[in-house]
Amino acid sequence: MSEKAWKISKPSLEALASRLLALAAVIAPARTTAGEVDYSEITEPGQIAWDYSTSLTSLKRFFFPQVEPLFEFSRKERGVSLKPAFDRRLRVFLGVRPCDVTAVNFMDKVFSRDYDDPYYSARRQNSLLIALACNQPGENCFCVCGEGGPFLKSGYDLQLTALGEGYLVEAGSAKGAALVEDNSNLFSPADEKDLEEKRRLAKQAENSFGEPKSYFAAALRKISFGKTDDALWEKMGEVCLGCGGCAYICPTCNCFTVFDHADSTGGVRRRHWDSCSFACFTREASGHNPRKEQCQRLKSRFFHKLAYQFVLRNGRHGCVGCGRCVSVCLGEDPMPEVTLRIRRGEWAS
Amino acid sequence: MPAILTTCPFCGCGCGLYLRSEEGRLAGVFPSLAHPVSQGRLCIKGWHAYELSMSPARLTNPLVRKEGELVAATWEEALQRAAEGLQQVKQQHGSQALAVLGSAGCTNEANFALMRLARQTLGTNNVDFSGRLDWAAASGPYPGSSIPSIDEADLILLVETDAGDEHPAITARLLRARRRGTKLIAVTQRRHRMARLAELHLQPSPGRAAEVVAGVIAATFTTSFFTTLPDAIVKSLASIFLRLADFSPEKAAAAAGVSIEQIRQAAQAFVEAKKPVALIGRGALRDPRAKDLISSVSSLFALGQAMGQQSPGADATGGWLALGAKANSRGAHEMGLDPALLTGYQPISEARAREAFEAAWGARLPHQRGLGLWEMQGAVRGMLIMADDSSFSTPDHKTVRKILEGLDFLVVQDSLAGELAERADVVLPGAAFGEEDGTFTSLDGRLQRVRRGVSPPGEARPHWEIVCQLAASMKTDFGFRSPSDVMDQIALLTPLYERISYPSLEEGYGRLLPIHFLHGGEFSVTPPLELKAEPPARESALPLCLAVDFSVSSWEGDPVVLSCPTLRREFSLQIKDFPAGFVEVNPDDAKRLGLRNGSKVRVVGREGEFTAALRISEEVPAGVVLLPFWQRERAFPVLEEKREAADRLPFIEPVAVRIEGA
């Protein structure tokens, strides 16, 4: 949906950021103290690192934090009192990558499918996503295989594309269009030439990935129909160190566990990220563990990421191709390598 | 609040991670991609470091014992009570009756301040920490390698280590090295993951890794490559050769219980290597002959250097690394938590080193070597323990318990409640990870900042500050106003930490400390190799050998790990699965004995017996019964804590046993 398109100059974009800062929390790519780029809440537009390839972490934690209080509870004379902790802060995500926006759209489905998760929804409903299309993929990126980018077709409120001195701005939602209208003095209309240039850049970006890094079609088919060899999983299990990093860094992994931090008078219930790589993730109270071995856990993880039954349920497979698991994997089982091995049916490195 | 870069608080690898905080509490962790050690990867522990501050067992108030009960007190009152109690012991029994324990989990600054309090304020050299056990054998300004150097090695020798879950950042590098085609040779009693992945696995009898290394040295002299070396080089190696004159590769193989072919293959691989690295694990460092093993490895590398081998990595001057350290084991030791050493391995007995400290502190220091933790029983009446849970890491809990039972007065400074705090007369609540500024020194000597992301809960305070306040209560003003001040003094008094300051640590990711040579720039082999010519004794009635295994589940039951809810779930799995403990044997032995997996067995030794569940594992060699270290206490009717002669450090020696169904 690109019927609504404008242009904005760099200074005007900074001015927009300033206006947004007065209205909401602004989350944008920014340098850490060590100079690496991560999405963080900024306090002034100058902190935005516009020139980056991938942020250290995705947007997941802003909607589904690594640890979050769900509610406080206390013992009353009769019964228990509960005080839920919803986060309804207004937030604008500015300059975020398409793969991460795609992942947010995926998570929207997960957290609302059978049961609307009020914690997720409270955050999501009060957010605005302004994507920045990727003109140049990073070293580990494979969004083109994961259908997560490098340019978005939908799922954003606004999408920016760097065009020479400024940006093309496309609205993907009424909320996005309204933001442009409310700040119309900062925008100028875009013409067909600008849109043509954007299409050319998108094509160029797609072509710049070179050799395919992940082979989803074949992997999806094989894993969905049980056509993967257990010996291969055993081999891959041997080089999985069970750190859980893949699940934690993955923008679409959404498993969590719940702990009560309490004494006899009351306490707080928190949910923490959890990972299917961990030995006790599936351990039952009886002591039985259906996935006792690392290789079984690894297989289950990739089944959940790629099998058709989950594709049908979520509208897509569970990898947007951000490439973060490639750098974070403590062992040797990141998504692109695993899908390649599944496709070939043998160990490949 | 922006994420802060800090150093992981678990093992001694020194991985870099960012801590997030939200409304005054730690809210998450993510790795730093550019960090030279972790390179964007963390293990399960690192990913959960944020949980450390949310333990329900946190101490948040100073406590003093009144009429037998620990009750909440003000800081003033608690510090006063602590000072009075310690001074009273000093007046009645002298400063030799006082002792101080620091911690591998605390910063260099806290440990330095504590060491100063012991030596200056209390006047005792009875200063130690339980983590010294994993570190002592390898400690010293030795020519060491660095973790990033592993990437440049073309041969990696693993001596009683899998790296495994103990040092996952190293495990990750080993996997990548193997993939690049680097040769791995494992010398390990257990056939664990790395041994399976290695090109060559030599599986010695328990406690015989030193013999394997000596055998490889002896065999090196007979490789075809060696005969091509110039005479001058051969002559320079004569001392090593002479020591081994009585020890042929065949004899070594027989003593170690490995084949002579394997010894020769390892020797051949070693002479062909250009940049070898050896990693020495806890199983070897906790052995009574650890120093001998290290001297064997040093000899092997001396030989290699004479043949033209280089140390891989620009940072490294030597080819081996001792594993086994916790986050700041090395730092704690280098801060002078040793009865005989001041900071940076300077002997307290040396007047020149001591005088520098005396001048800086304006006080006279005791000259005599103090008592180490394992010598304190019966001699120490008053103690200050800063975040050191000795009972977790020392072989025999009983020794530590007896020391504690013999005390008239105990001050515990810790972030976590527990058995130790319950015994205390005064409890001083300290900061946990993420709540205190300071530095850690990794196992390969990388000095890095740890940073505060949130304030300690309740009344808890940073450890360095508590120590300074306690010293002030005893009329010694250390003059430290910040951890940075403490580091300035460390740098002033410690050649190894020379010119280090907080600003100098801000650039990049800390500093790799300069590595000194022990013997004027040349390798040499000082202690004689005490090699054993026989495999460990077995008897016809006790045909198996029971040995402690350090290489599996090394974090099971660790009190710090257990304070994180997710890690508690993961690292108490074996305790839950085997509430009565387990021993492991090889499938062939189990078949011969007619025992099934999971069956209850009686392990009978010369002196006593214990029962446990049986686990059958292909990883265990024939004729051996392995017992995970964290279960050692249940096996004490059979095992016995022994003491090393030089430093009275405790260890457990393999013993002959038999197994029968119970």
Side-chain angles (χ1 to χ4, degrees):
Chain A
M1 124 135 211
S2 292
E3 292 85 30
K4 291 191 172 176
W6 302 265
K7 283 204 293 186
I8 190 168
S9 68
K10 279 181 182 168
S12 294
L13 185 57
E14 299 233 324
L16 179 69
S18 291
R19 288 188 195 175
L20 290 171
L21 274 165
L23 301 169
V26 176
I27 287 106
R31 302 245 164 233
T32 67
T33 49
E36 302 177 274
V37 174
D38 191 44
Y39 298 135
S40 332
E41 187 171 338
I42 57 158
T43 50
E44 49 181 286
Q47 292 166 343
I48 303 174
W50 290 105
D51 188 21
Y52 77 111
S53 71
T54 312
S55 134
L56 285 176
T57 61
S58 71
L59 297 176
K60 176 165 82 175
R61 65 154 178 127
F62 294 99
F63 302 102
F64 169 46
Q66 189 163 5
V67 56
E68 66 177 313
L70 297 180
F71 53 82
E72 287 174 18
F73 54 94
S74 55
R75 204 187 281 277
K76 290 268 179 203
E77 209 166 292
R78 297 179 67 184
V80 178
S81 111
L82 299 180
K83 200 174 125 204
F86 295 112
D87 179 356
R88 301 189 197 280
R89 281 175 292 178
L90 288 181
R91 290 186 299 188
V92 177
F93 295 86
L94 178 56
V96 296
R97 287 302 184 195
C99 52
D100 294 326
V101 173
T102 305
V104 172
N105 285 295
F106 178 93
M107 294 293 243
D108 290 348
K109 287 213 169 68
V110 172
F111 280 99
S112 66
R113 192 179 50 244
D114 303 320
Y115 164 79
D116 184 59
D117 185 295
Y119 300 95
Y120 182 90
S121 292
R123 293 189 174 94
R124 186 64 179 97
Q125 281 162 8
N126 291 299
S127 299
L128 193 82
L129 297 174
I130 305 179
L132 174 62
C134 254
N135 286 351
Q136 186 60 45
E139 189 190 354
N140 296 327
C141 294
F142 57 97
C143 64
V144 73
C145 309
E147 294 162 51
F151 282 55
L152 287 168
K153 293 188 178 75
S154 63
Y156 53 86
D157 292 307
L158 292 177
Q159 175 167 245
L160 308 174
T161 304
L163 292 181
E165 290 302 296
Y167 295 88
L168 176 76
V169 184
E170 295 164 283
S173 74
K175 250 189 335 189
L179 180 73
V180 175
E181 277 156 30
D182 290 349
N183 297 279
S184 53
N185 61 333
L186 297 175
F187 296 84
S188 59
D191 54 27
E192 185 50 36
K193 227 172 63 194
D194 299 319
L195 291 170
E196 184 52 42
E197 175 63 0
K198 179 216 132 184
R199 284 191 285 272
R200 190 189 66 79
L201 286 171
K203 197 83 213 146
Q204 186 183 311
E206 274 175 35
N207 291 338
S208 65
F209 281 85
E211 284 289 297
K213 287 182 185 156
S214 202
Y215 298 85
F216 285 110
L220 253 67
R221 198 170 56 245
K222 284 195 167 181
I223 210 162
S224 302
F225 295 109
K227 290 189 172 152
T228 56
D229 186 4
D230 279 348
L232 181 62
W233 288 110
E234 271 168 39
K235 241 174 158 175
M236 293 198 276
E238 185 90 325
V239 294
C240 170
L241 300 181
C243 67
C246 51
Y248 283 12
I249 207 74
C250 179
T252 67
C253 269
N254 48 63
C255 287
F256 59 82
T257 188
V258 167
F259 293 110
D260 285 347
H261 301 256
D263 57 25
S264 57
T265 60
V268 55
R269 174 163 296 177
R270 297 197 182 105
R271 74 171 162 197
H272 299 232
W273 287 352
D274 204 348
S275 163
C276 53
S277 305
F278 301 153
C280 295
F281 183 77
T282 47
R283 188 181 183 275
E284 295 162 12
S286 67
H288 173 65
N289 191 345
R291 296 202 278 276
K292 222 175 162 100
E293 304 298 329
Q294 198 68 49
C295 59
Q296 298 168 318
R297 301 196 278 273
L298 196 73
K299 185 177 176 181
S300 138
R301 172 179 161 75
F302 283 93
F303 185 78
H304 196 173
K305 286 304 231 192
L306 301 177
Y308 285 145
Q309 67 185 78
F310 297 103
V311 175
L312 288 174
R313 198 193 278 185
N314 300 322
R316 54 162 296 130
H317 62 70
C319 175
V320 296
C322 71
R324 291 186 180 96
C325 58
V326 177
S327 49
V328 102
C329 179
L330 193 62
E332 299 192 306
D333 294 314
M335 179 63 82
E337 290 194 35
V338 171
T339 47
L340 180 65
R341 291 171 199 151
I342 293 173
R343 179 177 148 256
R344 289 196 186 161
E346 59 175 31
W347 186 262
S349 51
Chain B
M1 178 86 184
I4 54 155
L5 182 69
T6 187
T7 307
C8 181
F10 292 104
C11 83
C13 287
C15 292
L17 53 85
Y18 289 98
L19 268 183
R20 297 189 201 283
S21 59
E22 191 84 35
E23 291 166 3
R25 58 181 176 81
L26 296 183
V29 156
F30 62 103
S32 160
L33 206 56
H35 193 276
V37 176
S38 41
Q39 299 174 314
R41 304 176 195 114
L42 294 174
C43 73
I44 181 172
K45 298 184 295 298
W47 275 108
H48 294 94
Y50 73 94
E51 291 184 347
L52 269 172
S53 66
M54 52 178 71
S55 165
R58 286 301 299 273
L59 290 163
T60 53
N61 253 310
L63 305 170
V64 296
R65 193 168 291 283
K66 281 183 184 160
E67 291 162 13
E69 293 286 311
L70 277 174
V71 293
T74 63
W75 267 105
E76 241 175 359
E77 193 184 350
L79 289 168
Q80 204 49 43
R81 269 293 299 279
E84 281 166 13
L86 294 171
Q87 278 167 332
Q88 204 175 349
V89 173
K90 188 172 170 177
Q91 277 158 18
Q92 285 176 358
H93 306 285
S95 39
Q96 293 325 301
L98 287 172
V100 161
L101 297 183
S103 171
C106 284
T107 62
N108 285 319
E109 291 73 6
N111 282 314
F112 179 87
L114 187 77
M115 182 277 292
R116 182 170 172 183
L117 180 125
R119 292 192 156 116
Q120 180 188 345
T121 312
L122 302 177
T124 181
N125 282 325
N126 300 343
V127 42
D128 208 344
F129 71 113
S130 61
R132 191 162 65 97
L133 263 192
D134 291 321
W135 184 246
S139 73
Y142 62 77
S145 191
S146 71
I147 294 172
S149 304
I150 294 171
D151 294 349
E152 291 173 47
D154 60 352
L155 173 79
I156 301 171
L157 182 66
L158 300 165
V159 184
E160 289 304 356
T161 185
D162 175 36
D165 69 352
E166 193 168 20
H167 297 296
I170 292 176
T171 316
R173 282 182 194 269
L174 293 176
L175 289 179
R176 283 169 178 76
R178 175 179 155 271
R179 191 167 175 169
R180 279 192 302 271
T182 306
K183 273 187 189 154
L184 297 186
I185 299 181
V187 180
T188 56
Q189 63 178 10
R190 189 182 186 95
R191 188 166 174 77
H192 40 51
R193 181 199 320 248
M194 281 308 160
R196 288 195 298 272
L197 295 175
E199 202 150 297
L200 190 58
H201 176 209
L202 296 90
Q203 199 166 16
S205 304
R208 292 293 183 271
E211 278 67 23
V212 172
V213 178
V216 172
I217 297 173
T220 300
F221 284 96
T222 58
T223 55
S224 55
F225 180 83
F226 192 77
T227 55
T228 65
L229 287 177
D231 278 357
I233 291 177
V234 174
K235 224 178 236 172
S236 73
L237 299 171
S239 68
I240 298 174
F241 188 70
L242 283 177
R243 259 184 247 284
L244 292 165
D246 194 30
F247 206 78
S248 65
E250 287 78 9
K251 220 168 173 179
V258 300
S259 78
I260 179 68
E261 288 74 30
Q262 283 198 313
I263 296 260
R264 291 200 192 287
Q265 282 168 16
Q268 191 60 38
F270 186 77
V271 298
E272 284 169 11
K274 292 186 176 62
K275 293 180 169 184
V277 152
L279 304 179
I280 304 173
R282 234 165 28 127
L285 297 169
R286 285 275 188 112
D287 190 279
R289 297 186 302 142
K291 293 247 183 220
D292 290 338
L293 177 101
I294 284 170
S295 108
S296 299
V297 174
S298 295
S299 300
L300 181 65
F301 278 77
L303 194 59
Q305 293 229 329
M307 295 186 301
Q309 284 178 350
Q310 290 174 343
S311 307
D315 300 335
T317 55
W320 58 271
L321 265 181
L323 312 186
K326 293 280 174 72
N328 201 30
S329 299
R330 179 170 177 161
H333 199 213
E334 289 179 350
M335 290 306 106
L337 295 185
D338 186 303
L341 300 174
L342 289 161
T343 58
Y345 313 105
Q346 304 173 83
I348 186 93
S349 56
E350 267 179 25
R352 209 170 50 146
R354 204 174 54 238
E355 280 159 11
F357 281 80
E358 288 176 338
W361 295 348
R364 299 279 291 163
L365 300 187
H367 297 198
Q368 293 294 320
R369 179 194 185 280
L371 299 172
L373 169 58
W374 299 277
E375 304 164 294
M376 288 177 184
Q377 193 185 328
V380 167
R381 310 290 289 267
M383 213 163 177
L384 165 61
I385 302 178
M386 178 177 79
D388 192 36
D389 193 340
S390 315
S391 60
F392 172 70
S393 49
T394 108
D396 185 354
H397 299 195
K398 277 180 291 186
T399 311
V400 176
R401 241 167 245 156
K402 278 183 199 150
I403 296 168
L404 296 174
E405 279 161 11
L407 295 178
D408 298 335
F409 190 72
L410 172 63
V411 182
V412 170
Q413 175 184 327
D414 210 326
S415 63
L416 294 174
E419 206 186 319
L420 200 58
E422 276 161 29
R423 284 176 176 275
D425 296 288
V426 177
V427 176
L428 306 173
F433 176 69
E435 300 167 358
E436 179 163 358
D437 278 312
T439 58
F440 283 164
T441 308
S442 68
L443 62 87
D444 60 343
R446 189 175 298 275
L447 180 66
Q448 300 183 95
R449 282 296 313 275
V450 286
R451 292 184 175 89
R452 174 185 175 130
V454 295
S455 302
E459 292 288 309
R461 292 179 181 176
H463 284 287
W464 74 271
E465 201 177 308
I466 299 174
V467 175
C468 293
Q469 286 163 348
L470 184 56
S473 305
M474 291 186 270
K475 312 251 173 330
T476 37
D477 178 9
F478 288 174
F480 300 139
R481 299 289 167 260
S482 69
S484 166
D485 286 354
V486 187
M487 183 48 76
D488 290 345
Q489 185 163 90
I490 295 167
L492 188 73
L493 294 172
T494 315
L496 193 60
Y497 286 66
E498 207 173 6
R499 287 198 288 277
I500 299 283
S501 66
Y502 276 20
S504 78
L505 295 174
E506 291 298 330
E507 304 155 29
Y509 291 86
R511 285 285 166 86
L512 208 57
L513 295 172
I515 300 157
H516 294 253
F517 287 93
L518 252 183
H519 305 284
E522 278 175 34
F523 285 93
S524 75
V525 188
T526 34
L529 302 171
E530 278 179 29
L531 298 170
K532 306 212 170 172
E534 303 292 331
R538 291 181 173 99
E539 299 162 17
S540 56
L542 306 172
L544 300 168
C545 181
L546 174 69
V548 170
D549 184 5
F550 287 93
S551 62
V552 288
S553 309
S554 43
W555 295 88
E556 191 86 6
D558 179 294
V560 179
V561 159
L562 291 188
S563 71
C564 304
T566 309
L567 298 181
R568 167 184 283 270
R569 184 189 73 185
E570 295 298 318
F571 290 93
S572 49
L573 173 63
Q574 297 204 338
I575 294 169
K576 278 189 239 156
D577 277 356
F578 297 95
F582 67 84
V583 291
E584 291 177 292
V585 298
N586 177 286
D588 293 341
D589 286 332
K591 201 171 167 191
R592 199 168 36 77
L593 293 164
L595 295 169
R596 295 210 295 198
N597 199 26
S599 56
K600 193 177 170 193
V601 294
R602 189 180 294 126
V603 182
V604 185
R606 217 165 290 142
E607 311 267 319
E609 60 176 65
F610 67 97
T611 56
L614 187 76
R615 248 173 82 160
I616 298 174
S617 169
E618 301 267 2
E619 298 187 358
V620 182
V624 172
V625 182
L626 289 182
L627 174 86
F629 178 70
W630 58 270
Q631 290 188 32
R632 64 207 174 281
E633 204 161 19
R634 90 175 20 253
F636 270 114
V638 173
L639 295 171
E640 205 189 318
E641 185 192 78
K642 296 194 173 172
R643 297 305 183 86
E644 174 222 14
D647 218 7
R648 308 274 304 145
L649 296 183
F651 61 88
I652 303 169
E653 214 164 49
V655 291
V657 293
R658 70 168 184 273
I659 284 192
E660 50 198 45

